[in-house]
Amino acid sequence: MSILKIGTNQSLNGTLVVPGDKSISHRALMMSCLVGGNCRVSNLNLGQDVLNTLDFMRSLGVMVDRSSHTDFALFFDLKYPDKMLNVWCGNSGTMVRLGMGVVSGIGVDVEFDGDESLRSRPMDRVIEPLKAMGARIDSQPKGRLPVGVMQSKLHGISYSLPTPSAQVKSSLMFAGVNAAGVTEIFESKTTRRHTEELFALTEIEFEEKETDLGHFIKIEGPVKPTEFSLNIPCDPSQAAFFITGALITKNSDVRLENVYLGKERTGFLRVLERMKANVNVYVTSAEPFPVGVLEACSSELVATDIQPYEVADMIDEIPILAVCAANASGVSRFMGLAELRVKETDRILTICELLKSFGVDIAAEGDDLIIAGRPKVNPNRIAVDSYLDHRIAMSAAIFALGLQSKESFVEIKDFDCVSTSYNGFLDDLRLLGVVDG
Ligand code: S3P
């Protein structure tokens, strides 16, 4: 058990480059094994989730040559192993769900497993459509890890996602690469487009359009992706922690460079604008995807509501947006958060518990969160729990920095869990001038 002791009432100043985007990192590695040639990825996210995916690729025959700390060359020798592979996915829903799509149509048998949190998360959302494509998949208990995916021949299907999910969409897109015939996917709302962006980069022909039913994707398989080279932009979900840190602390001013700015990942910026946050966004390049600079400084935030249709664009930023709401004047209501119940923790519950332990007036009503801003707390010491959820742990640390009380500190239990996505989180806070508690 690790406890972080972090000082309150701090300021953040300076320029930072946060790690490479986690979602893009998983996808780039998985795409390399479908390419079966030579690929290069740089600025890979080195959190444990992505390192597990890197090991998974190695076990599939991808040879990895690390040319610098975050830069990798990936070669594939086109020989899949002939024994059952046991693949450890740790804490990562993205790895297992996309991984099932990748392996279901290639000549290999795989058993996926993960930690206690991952074992409790629903997998039927990908198992069912993959089975409809002809995949042979067993899970015990049903719809949960461990899951066995056996070699099979896939065929295309037409599938409407019951709930918008980039993981489900991407799993089916990866399966579609090796499926015979047409795979059609509808999602009522466009979710993060990283798999589409990678398809374009690897010259996979596919159709993508907005229809009355929402976002539509069509792939005619089997298709062969081409070799690629990708410099992964920085993770907007990680940037959101430092943006919030600057907004809720006094005399702060931070700049984050080379951040991925695709519309489906930056809903939190639109919410912050409504909250009257001092944030500037500069797009520095548009191709192959929007990337730019974010600047934020201390702000007087005001409450806002988040509508259910907005949630997909900020699905991972709800914990840190709750920290913003707790520091805003007025009452905020975040609506339609049902999907948060099946993240690394039940985040409706863990956000409530975390902010309550800081003295915030917060309540869950069904799948909504109601947060009254500006807590009147003046603690000398607060002990809070991360619940082993990396985003809850980082949100706790940022909240602590904004607490206005002299000579006090906060203790965060199991803070090490941030290594899931961001080993250097504390070092980066220190770079911005934060001192330990
Ligand atoms: C992800 C999609 C989202 C997100 C997760 C990463 C991805 O999950 O919460 O952290 O990389 O596709 P859902 O697809 O379950 O919404």
Side-chain angles (χ1 to χ4, degrees):
M1 187 175 87
S2 69
I3 292 184
L4 172 74
K5 199 170 150 197
I6 189 161
T8 57
N9 195 11
Q10 306 219 30
S11 298
L12 281 71
N13 284 283
T15 296
L16 205 63
V17 182
V18 298
D21 186 75
K22 183 154 79 81
S23 289
I24 302 177
S25 295
H26 281 297
R27 285 163 172 78
L29 293 177
M30 292 195 196
M31 184 58 100
S32 73
C33 95
L34 294 177
V35 167
N38 298 342
C39 303
R40 296 199 79 85
V41 291
S42 53
N43 200 32
L44 193 77
N45 179 296
L46 296 179
Q48 192 54 50
D49 279 5
V50 176
L51 293 182
N52 287 340
T53 292
L54 192 61
D55 280 347
F56 171 33
M57 292 302 108
R58 280 198 181 100
S59 67
L60 284 175
V62 177
M63 285 172 289
V64 179
D65 181 11
R66 192 170 187 161
S67 50
S68 79
H69 186 53
T70 59
D71 298 355
F72 296 79
L74 305 148
F75 313 95
F76 196 74
D77 70 359
L78 275 177
K79 262 195 269 128
Y80 295 118
D82 47 19
K83 60 172 187 0
M84 168 73 96
L85 275 184
N86 290 301
V87 173
W88 178 251
C89 304
N91 196 238
S92 178
T94 306
M95 174 180 173
V96 65
R97 296 197 178 114
L98 272 59
M100 280 192 239
V102 168
V103 298
S104 58
I106 63 178
V108 65
D109 298 337
V110 176
E111 185 178 272
F112 293 99
D113 204 356
D115 66 12
E116 206 183 315
S117 150
L118 197 58
R119 276 186 166 208
S120 72
R121 297 177 67 185
M123 295 301 148
D124 33 9
R125 51 182 65 194
V126 286
I127 294 175
E128 293 311 321
L130 287 174
K131 275 184 163 176
M133 293 178 80
R136 292 194 299 138
I137 304 181
D138 280 336
S139 58
Q140 195 58 254
K142 194 174 171 301
R144 297 277 193 274
L145 292 185
V147 168
V149 183
M150 270 67 66
Q151 298 180 36
S152 56
K153 294 247 176 292
L154 299 187
H155 53 81
I157 55 164
S158 188
Y159 188 73
S160 287
L161 271 63
T163 306
S165 161
Q167 290 178 351
V168 178
K169 169 180 69 175
S170 302
S171 184
L172 302 185
M173 287 178 74
F174 278 134
V177 166
N178 283 309
V182 174
T183 298
E184 292 181 326
I185 305 161
F186 294 91
E187 49 179 1
S188 57
K189 148 97 193 63
T190 311
T191 55
R192 60 187 72 189
R193 295 184 54 262
H194 304 314
T195 311
E196 292 88 318
E197 290 159 350
L198 261 180
F199 271 36
L201 187 70
T202 54
E203 296 172 24
I204 293 179
E205 270 189 40
F206 72 109
E207 195 184 323
E208 186 186 8
K209 61 182 179 193
E210 291 305 320
T211 70
D212 292 347
L213 290 175
H215 186 221
F216 169 74
I217 288 177
K218 181 176 170 185
I219 308 150
E220 193 157 356
V223 271
K224 191 79 195 147
T226 58
E227 295 176 348
F228 67 93
S229 174
L230 177 64
N231 182 18
I232 298 172
C234 299
D235 198 320
S237 306
Q238 312 293 33
F241 292 110
F242 301 101
I243 299 281
T244 302
L247 297 176
I248 67 167
T249 56
K250 296 223 168 16
N251 305 317
S252 293
D253 197 345
V254 303
R255 176 183 163 92
L256 298 145
E257 296 187 332
N258 192 33
V259 181
Y260 177 90
L261 293 176
K263 184 166 146 290
E264 297 78 16
R265 291 292 300 280
T266 46
F268 74 98
L269 292 174
R270 296 188 282 281
V271 171
L272 289 178
E273 196 179 341
R274 300 205 294 263
M275 297 183 87
K276 303 214 181 316
N278 294 317
V279 177
N280 292 320
V281 182
Y282 306 99
V283 178
T284 50
S285 70
E287 293 297 330
F289 27 64
V291 172
V293 172
L294 298 176
E295 287 175 351
C297 61
S298 314
S299 300
E300 291 294 321
L301 298 176
V302 298
T304 193
D305 290 342
I306 295 177
Q307 303 296 330
Y309 68 86
E310 296 183 288
V311 172
D313 286 353
M314 58 197 78
I315 189 81
D316 295 331
E317 286 70 64
I318 296 292
I320 197 64
L321 282 171
V323 169
C324 292
N327 282 277
S329 55
V331 177
S332 298
R333 186 172 194 120
F334 294 2
M335 288 169 268
L337 305 177
E339 274 297 293
L340 266 78
R341 297 219 180 263
V342 289
K343 294 296 175 193
E344 287 83 332
T345 54
D346 174 343
R347 285 190 177 147
I348 296 188
L349 210 70
T350 49
I351 291 170
C352 262
E353 289 306 310
L354 173 72
L355 291 183
K356 272 185 192 160
S357 46
F358 276 123
V360 177
D361 182 4
I362 178 170
E365 276 180 15
D367 294 329
D368 297 353
L369 280 175
I370 298 101
I371 308 166
R374 298 270 161 80
K376 291 193 180 38
V377 281
N378 190 17
N380 284 320
R381 176 174 175 270
I382 291 182
V384 298
D385 203 331
S386 67
Y387 305 96
L388 293 170
D389 181 331
H390 58 134
R391 295 197 201 280
I392 298 294
M394 290 187 276
S395 299
I398 297 296
F399 191 96
L401 302 177
L403 274 174
Q404 303 298 313
S405 63
K406 268 198 184 133
E407 292 170 324
S408 69
F409 62 87
V410 168
E411 284 181 353
I412 306 169
K413 190 174 159 226
D414 292 323
F415 191 78
D416 278 3
C417 67
V418 300
S419 63
T420 297
S421 61
Y422 200 164
N423 298 305
F425 177 72
L426 277 183
D427 293 334
D428 283 351
L429 275 181
R430 288 180 192 121
L431 272 181
L432 295 178
V434 167
V435 288
D436 296 358

